Amino acid sequence: MLNIFTLVNGRLFQEEIESLEELTRFQPIWVDLQAPTVEEKRWIEQHYSLSIPDNAMDDDIEESARFYEEDNGEMHIRSDFLIDDDENPRSVRVAFILNQHNAQLKSQGVLFSIHDEDVPVFRLLRMRARRAPGLIEDAKEVLLKLFDADAEYSADTLENIYDELEKVSRQVLAGGVTDALAGAVLAAIARQEDLNGRIRRNVMDTRRAVSFMMRSKMLNAGQFEQARQILRDIESLDNHTAFLFEKINFLMAATVGFININQNKIIKIFSVASVALLPPTLIASVYGMNFKFMPELDWVMGYPYAVLLMLLSALGPMWYFRRRGWLK
């Protein structure tokens, strides 16, 4: 899918392009390629003289391969954006290309973004730019606003994580945690821990991208201040992710503690049962001895007497354990 965005009276308008002829009729500030076909890439290359690298969306994490400027003035930024999906939270690699110096190319002042799937942050920016005139001024502003929206999206996701952990916390701290509940709680904690880790990696990546833009001296004074504000927001998100990691570790330890308590109860029952059966075993062992002279061997009530004696010797310890509260 190939979408272009033009700026009219301070508002961002979207057009879906289905041919090269349609592309030549517009003067966009942002060209968004979502899972582009070979033909759509060819349109971009033919009209803008822009070559999209084959490895544009590779998972290379080296800064030299993700943030660099070509000799022809094209600036390349590869950044990850979070998708908070209930079943499969993930990060999507987006490749940005911006030519702001080479006036000989039609791509000057146009931001190109290439990605494999729709990104919630992109939808958020498009919605805001349509409703708020003056929000976007140029292609650099689009890129900054995307990173700003990404930080905000991460913040909203962190709030959702905290709400989910609060639900888990109430379940754990209410007591009476069964093995089944403990398993469900551990699964929920693991999901939130994974999402929290993804957010931390995502904001770290955003920080690197914004810092690169600031170092490249491509921003004017107002945009530079916006970039500094984004970095301050990211710093606060870092602190919040650290807080959530501590909460997750506490809930994990508390849940494992309840599991250990349940296991100890089972072991205690077996221990009590073993001790309670020791006296009957001793009595049975005595009467199993092969001595010639044992008074009870010729006694008519010898067998009932031995059984009753073993029963009383078992009930005695059980009564004592219950009185001491060891069976609870």
Side-chain angles (χ1 to χ4, degrees):
M1 182 182 299
L2 177 57
N3 290 301
I4 65 170
F5 299 87
T6 58
L7 196 62
V8 180
N9 298 326
R11 297 178 186 269
L12 205 61
F13 287 89
Q14 177 179 348
E15 296 285 348
E16 186 172 341
I17 300 301
E18 298 182 354
S19 67
L20 177 60
E21 289 73 22
E22 290 184 6
L23 183 62
T24 58
R25 293 203 303 263
F26 297 95
Q27 186 62 38
I29 65 168
W30 179 19
V31 176
D32 183 49
L33 296 93
Q34 178 182 327
T37 64
V38 175
E39 186 178 23
E40 289 171 343
K41 290 183 179 180
R42 181 175 56 81
W43 295 344
I44 296 298
E45 182 175 358
Q46 183 175 344
H47 182 65
Y48 290 104
S49 301
L50 180 75
S51 178
I52 301 175
D54 294 333
N55 63 344
M57 290 168 286
D58 284 357
D59 291 333
D60 193 340
I61 61 173
E62 294 183 6
E63 185 168 359
S64 60
R66 297 183 62 180
F67 312 103
Y68 62 95
E69 187 172 355
E70 296 279 10
D71 295 336
N72 62 359
E74 292 178 356
M75 184 172 295
H76 292 254
I77 296 177
R78 301 178 189 178
S79 187
D80 296 331
F81 288 81
L82 180 70
I83 296 181
D84 180 19
D85 184 79
D86 292 336
E87 297 182 357
N88 181 29
R90 59 199 180 277
S91 294
V92 175
R93 175 64 52 82
V94 180
F96 295 103
I97 303 175
L98 176 61
N99 168 27
Q100 56 174 350
H101 300 302
N102 194 342
Q104 298 177 354
L105 301 178
K106 294 181 180 179
S107 61
Q108 184 187 20
V110 181
L111 174 67
F112 297 86
S113 57
I114 308 100
H115 49 101
D116 287 330
E117 56 183 306
D118 193 19
V119 182
V121 168
F122 283 39
R123 296 196 303 267
L124 178 62
L125 178 63
R126 292 196 298 262
M127 179 185 67
R128 289 180 174 175
R130 284 196 301 265
R131 296 178 179 177
L135 182 67
I136 303 295
E137 296 179 357
D138 54 25
K140 295 179 292 183
E141 196 87 36
V142 172
L143 192 53
L144 271 179
K145 292 300 182 182
L146 284 173
F147 289 134
D148 186 27
D150 186 44
E152 184 177 345
Y153 183 79
S154 298
D156 293 339
T157 307
L158 285 175
E159 291 179 1
N160 294 335
I161 292 177
Y162 183 82
D163 292 339
E164 292 298 323
L165 291 178
E166 279 295 295
K167 296 177 184 177
V168 172
S169 179
R170 286 193 292 270
Q171 290 178 308
V172 173
L173 300 182
V177 178
T178 63
D179 291 343
L181 177 59
V185 165
L186 288 177
I189 293 175
R191 285 195 298 270
Q192 301 309 319
E193 193 278 339
D194 175 70
L195 182 55
N196 192 47
R198 290 180 182 276
I199 292 174
R200 187 157 196 165
R201 181 182 181 276
N202 183 70
V203 296
M204 179 186 70
D205 182 83
T206 302
R207 177 193 288 117
R208 293 171 61 190
V210 174
S211 298
F212 172 76
M213 293 178 65
M214 296 173 70
R215 292 195 306 271
S216 65
K217 300 179 181 180
M218 60 182 289
L219 306 176
N220 58 39
Q223 293 168 344
F224 192 86
E225 183 58 34
Q226 290 182 42
R228 292 181 59 184
Q229 182 59 49
I230 294 173
L231 293 182
R232 286 193 289 267
D233 293 340
I234 290 175
E235 185 67 27
S236 65
L237 294 181
D238 264 345
N239 296 334
H240 198 62
T241 55
F243 161 73
L244 289 180
F245 274 126
E246 293 178 0
K247 187 175 182 65
I248 287 170
N249 290 334
F250 165 73
L251 291 176
M252 187 76 72
T255 305
V256 172
F258 278 113
I259 293 175
N260 292 334
I261 290 174
N262 292 339
Q263 292 177 343
N264 290 338
K265 288 179 180 178
I266 297 173
I267 295 174
K268 182 176 68 174
I269 291 173
F270 279 109
S271 300
V272 169
S274 300
V275 173
L277 293 176
L278 284 177
T281 303
L282 176 61
I283 295 172
S285 300
V286 170
Y287 285 105
M289 296 178 182
N290 295 321
F291 290 110
K292 183 176 181 180
F293 299 103
M294 294 187 71
E296 293 83 2
L297 293 180
D298 297 326
W299 184 28
V300 176
M301 299 299 295
Y303 175 70
Y305 167 76
V307 172
L308 179 62
L309 188 61
M310 287 188 288
L311 182 61
L312 291 176
S313 65
L315 292 177
M318 294 296 291
W319 171 81
Y320 177 75
F321 294 151
R322 180 175 292 277
R323 184 179 180 183
R324 295 295 301 269
W326 293 350
L327 296 179
K328 297 181 180 179

